[in-house]
Every structure is written in C-alpha cells, then in structure tokens.
C-alpha cells in the first residue's frame, strides 16, 4: 500500500541522513530474507516432527513468517513506491529437531532486536505499528519454541 507520497519527499526528509535511509532499506531487505529463510526452515521442521502437538507449535510460526514477509514488502513499498521480492535463501539442514528448535529460539530473539532497530527508523506510526505486530509475533514464536524445546529435551 503506497501512501501516495512522492518518493522525493523522503529524499528531502533524509537528505542529511541519506546513509541512514539506505541503511533502513537494507535492513528491511535483510528482514525479508530472514522471514523467507525461517518459513522454509519451519516447513522442514514440521516434516521432522513426530507429534501433532509439536507440529502445531511450529506451524504457528510458519504461518506468521509468510505474513511478516508480506508486511515487510508493504513497508518497503510505502517507503519507496517499489515492490521487491527476495529469492528464497539456502536453508541449513538438521539431523535432530531439537537442534533446529534451539537455533530457532536464538533466531527469533535476534529478529526482535533487528526489527526494533527498523521500527525506530520508520517515518510514521502506521509503519511502526506494523513492526510492533511483527515484533510481538516473533516474541511469541520464541516462547513457543522454548516450550517445544522443553518437550523434546526430556
């Protein structure tokens, strides 16, 4: 959803801080890449899962990652007037589900830090609210993965 603001508006707004603006767009691209990566990883983890209870916890995060990717696309479009699509990255493989879950806990928490940085750089409340939703989802994913880890670590 493009806000109808001329892209030159942002050039004027960030003229003194142009590297910061470019950094924001780079961070959004990084976030999109991470969301694509995690969605693929979580699909693989669901296939590794032996119980429906664990699969459902992972599926929750899997569905959100797709939503987040689209939200980042909307944010990028709102800032630039351009749609972008990030190619699917290579995803590491795991022999044990618990190892994938452990790295997912850390990944979700690292995403929260990255997304807070992005949120602080956004120019309006609507975009910051979108990041707030993504951040709280990522925090919930970390909590769900801690729960899954506790089940698997018995």
């Amino acid at each position: 959803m493009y806000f109808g603001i001329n892209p030159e508006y942002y050039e004027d707004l960030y003229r003194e801080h142009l590297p910061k603006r470019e950094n924001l767009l780079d961070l959004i691209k990084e976030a999109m890449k991470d969301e694509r990566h995690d969605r693929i990883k979580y699909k693989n983890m669901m296939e590794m899962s032996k119980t429906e209870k664990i699969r459902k916890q992972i599926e929750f995060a899997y569905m959100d990652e797709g939503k987040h990717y689209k939200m980042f696309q909307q944010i990028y479009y709102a800032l630039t007037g351009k749609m972008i699509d990030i190619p699917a990255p290579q995803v590491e493989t795991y022999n044990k589900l618990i190892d994938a879950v452990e790295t997912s806990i850390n990944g979700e928490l690292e995403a929260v830090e990255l997304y807070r940085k992005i949120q602080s750089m956004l120019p309006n409340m609507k975009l910051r609210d979108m990041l707030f939703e993504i951040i709280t989802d990522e925090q919930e994913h970390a909590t769900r993965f801690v729960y899954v880890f506790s089940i698997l670590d018995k």
Side-chain angles (χ1 to χ4, degrees):
M1 120 181 355
Y2 182 58
F3 291 141
I5 297 174
N6 189 335
E8 284 90 35
Y9 169 80
Y10 287 103
E11 293 299 327
D12 293 339
L13 183 65
Y14 291 107
R15 190 164 312 280
E16 293 177 26
H17 307 289
L18 193 56
K20 183 178 179 183
R21 179 177 179 265
E22 291 303 315
N23 189 32
L24 171 59
L25 298 178
D26 290 341
L27 293 175
I28 291 169
K29 289 176 188 175
E30 181 182 338
M32 291 174 72
K33 180 180 173 193
D34 290 347
E35 295 294 329
R36 298 264 340 235
H37 171 275
D38 289 350
R39 185 165 165 89
I40 296 165
K41 179 181 177 184
Y42 299 160
K43 184 176 189 299
N44 295 341
M45 289 167 60
M46 286 188 300
E47 292 169 2
M48 294 174 73
S49 179
K50 291 182 171 67
T51 69
E52 186 65 16
K53 179 163 73 170
I54 290 174
R55 193 192 63 72
K56 282 186 180 249
Q57 295 300 318
I58 300 167
E59 182 179 30
F60 191 91
Y62 168 81
M63 297 302 291
D64 276 352
E65 299 303 330
K67 175 183 81 171
H68 297 166
Y69 181 81
K70 289 177 184 171
M71 290 172 78
F72 277 118
Q73 278 185 315
Q74 292 171 356
I75 292 166
Y76 192 92
Y77 183 79
L79 294 172
T80 66
K82 299 175 185 168
M83 283 297 292
I84 62 166
D85 195 26
I86 304 295
Q90 283 292 110
V91 177
E92 62 282 358
T93 57
Y94 295 90
N95 293 324
K96 292 193 242 171
L97 181 58
I98 194 167
D99 295 334
V101 170
E102 186 173 19
T103 61
S104 296
I105 295 167
N106 295 327
E108 294 290 339
L109 295 174
E110 289 170 6
V112 167
E113 293 305 313
L114 172 63
Y115 299 170
R116 282 183 182 150
K117 183 185 291 186
I118 293 170
Q119 184 184 36
S120 72
M121 298 169 79
L122 292 171
N124 66 52
M125 189 60 87
K126 181 174 175 88
L127 299 178
R128 288 191 296 270
D129 285 349
M130 290 175 76
L131 257 290
F132 181 76
E133 179 180 344
I134 295 170
I135 289 167
T136 55
D137 285 349
E138 298 292 334
Q139 291 169 327
E140 181 179 359
H141 301 167
T143 302
R144 287 176 181 270
F145 285 128
V146 168
Y147 170 63
V148 170
F149 185 86
S150 71
I151 293 171
L152 295 171
D153 195 39
K154 291 182 181 177

